[in-house]
Amino acid sequence: MNTAVSSASRLSVAPMMAWTDRHCRYFHRLMSKQALLYTEMVTAPALVLGGALRLLDFNPEEQPVALQLGGSDPKQLGRATALGAAHGYDEINLNLGCPSDRVQSGSFGAVLMTEPDVVRACLEQMLQASDSEVTVKCRIGVDDQIAQETLPEFLSMVQSTGVKRVTIHARKALLKGLSPKENRDIPPLNYPLVLQMKLAFPGLHLSINGGVNSLAAAQEHLSAGLDGAMIGRAAYQNPYDILARVDCDVFEGDAAPSADDIAEQMISYIEAHLQQGERLHQITRHMFGLFAGQTGARHWRRRLSEFGGKHGSNLADYRILLNEMRVILEQQHELEVG
């Protein structure tokens, strides 16, 4: 087990398609130096057959960061794992939890929980392909499976391959009749079952995912005996509220600087990527929630939204917004002390 990523997985930010790209991860890393970050899911065929190696790019500052792969062909996943390891990922995670139609049509994601022999072959190839740690993210079950029966069998198979770390989304995936969004909310959460799995498999490092919407909720799961907690949408929508205290409260490190300081620290990163031809909104779209719950949050969101609709938005626009926010924050401070 890779000690660095295993330690970091005590609190992780979930891999989320169209959300956790490299810009998002860099932004999140400014708030927590120690939480484990994940890429969006990258399909093995895209890397092996399509040669889309650009999907593996990340900033060194993002470490510890893990690559999540999707696929069902053992040889392709083995080759994709080798490519990920060569690009510097210390953890390669196999997605066995995504319920989207597109993923199902490719015969991977949550549907693979119904094909444990295929999963075994995939994991064995991935483990043989590199020295990077191979991990799994799955659901408690799918469709009409009786999770209390099938999940222990599935975890036993996973453990037998040599995989030592699993993240479990504590909901079933209902592949027939529910959209991906509905699959994140409608199937009931079963936290006790995940905790039972930790008791049944003490040798597995088990993290819990699903409905973990605050740092306090994550800490409750850790206190209950689980090895890690993974936060998804809440960490994206309210990043400062959750990630700024992770290092202090979970890893016994230092708390992050103020939200205003985080916004300031993004300037050099934004400047570098604008010089590479990227648009301002490609970066700032991940920053809408930076001031969530704080003075000026509505102004911040509105002005960032304008960057997306304004052709040619640039660093000067961003600097103007920072100055506007400082005025708002100073006025609020004067009211509080006055």
Side-chain angles (χ1 to χ4, degrees):
M1 184 181 294
N2 183 293
T3 303
V5 292
S6 177
S7 174
S9 67
R10 187 162 175 79
L11 195 292
S12 58
V13 177
M16 293 176 283
M17 292 297 292
W19 290 12
T20 52
D21 64 18
R22 60 188 304 196
H23 301 316
C24 172
R25 297 191 304 267
Y26 183 89
F27 170 56
H28 283 178
R29 183 57 72 211
L30 293 179
M31 288 169 277
S32 171
K33 303 299 182 186
Q34 300 190 60
L36 180 60
L37 305 180
Y38 281 84
T39 69
E40 304 171 86
M41 184 186 67
V42 178
T43 68
L47 298 176
V48 175
L49 302 180
L53 299 185
R54 68 185 185 284
L55 298 176
L56 298 177
D57 292 343
F58 67 95
N59 306 286
E61 297 90 345
E62 295 172 32
Q63 293 280 22
V65 59
L67 168 67
Q68 186 180 71
L69 292 177
S72 59
D73 182 291
K75 291 184 178 179
Q76 287 182 2
L77 280 166
R79 291 172 63 188
T81 296
L83 290 169
H87 271 71
Y89 290 97
D90 293 325
E91 176 189 336
I92 315 292
N93 178 267
L94 179 60
N95 183 328
L96 302 175
C98 182
S100 76
D101 292 339
R102 181 173 67 85
V103 168
Q104 289 183 57
S105 66
S107 296
F108 55 89
V111 70
L112 280 179
M113 292 193 70
T114 65
E115 301 184 60
D117 290 341
V118 174
V119 174
R120 177 192 296 276
C122 291
L123 292 175
E124 289 174 348
Q125 287 288 322
M126 293 172 71
L127 286 159
Q128 292 172 16
S130 82
D131 291 331
S132 293
E133 184 173 7
V134 173
T135 66
V136 163
K137 185 173 188 291
C138 66
R139 294 276 182 144
I140 60 173
V142 297
D143 293 336
D144 58 357
Q145 287 182 337
I146 300 174
Q148 290 81 355
E149 297 176 3
T150 57
L151 183 57
E153 295 173 355
F154 189 80
L155 291 179
S156 180
M157 178 277 296
V158 168
Q159 187 176 43
S160 72
T161 67
V163 168
K164 296 181 174 64
R165 188 148 53 85
V166 179
T167 298
I168 303 175
H169 186 137
R171 288 186 174 92
K172 269 190 175 185
L174 302 182
L175 304 179
K176 302 168 186 175
L178 292 185
S179 68
K181 181 179 184 302
E182 291 169 331
N183 260 301
R184 292 193 298 266
D185 299 308
I186 292 178
L189 289 160
N190 192 340
Y191 292 148
L193 178 59
V194 180
L195 187 56
Q196 289 171 24
M197 293 303 97
K198 179 57 192 176
L199 297 174
F201 296 91
L204 280 179
H205 182 292
L206 291 185
S207 294
I208 194 165
N209 175 229
V212 186
N213 294 324
S214 67
L215 187 56
Q219 290 174 301
E220 287 180 11
H221 290 300
L222 296 174
S223 297
L226 289 165
D227 300 299
M230 176 180 280
I231 304 181
R233 286 166 291 164
Y236 187 90
Q237 294 163 349
N238 301 291
Y240 190 83
D241 185 49
I242 290 174
L243 295 177
R245 292 203 58 82
V246 164
D247 290 1
C248 178
D249 294 355
V250 177
F251 296 100
E252 299 183 353
D254 297 324
S258 68
D260 180 52
D261 287 336
I262 297 296
E264 177 74 27
Q265 289 178 34
M266 285 295 294
I267 289 177
S268 60
Y269 181 84
I270 290 171
E271 183 174 26
H273 285 272
L274 290 180
Q275 289 173 354
Q276 295 172 18
E278 298 191 56
R279 294 175 56 222
L280 180 61
H281 185 63
Q282 289 176 284
I283 302 170
T284 59
R285 72 186 184 93
H286 301 296
M287 301 172 62
F288 278 78
L290 177 58
F291 289 91
Q294 300 184 46
T295 299
R298 182 177 299 178
H299 180 81
W300 175 259
R301 291 193 303 269
R302 179 178 61 80
R303 294 283 277 115
L304 286 185
S305 181
E306 291 173 2
F307 294 164
K310 177 184 173 184
H311 180 72
S313 293
N314 55 37
L315 189 60
D317 295 307
Y318 183 78
R319 289 182 182 277
I320 290 170
L321 172 56
L322 291 192
N323 289 331
E324 292 170 353
M325 288 299 295
R326 285 175 182 138
V327 170
I328 292 172
L329 293 172
E330 287 172 4
Q331 290 174 341
Q332 178 63 27
H333 177 70
E334 290 174 0
L335 287 174
E336 291 174 351
V337 299

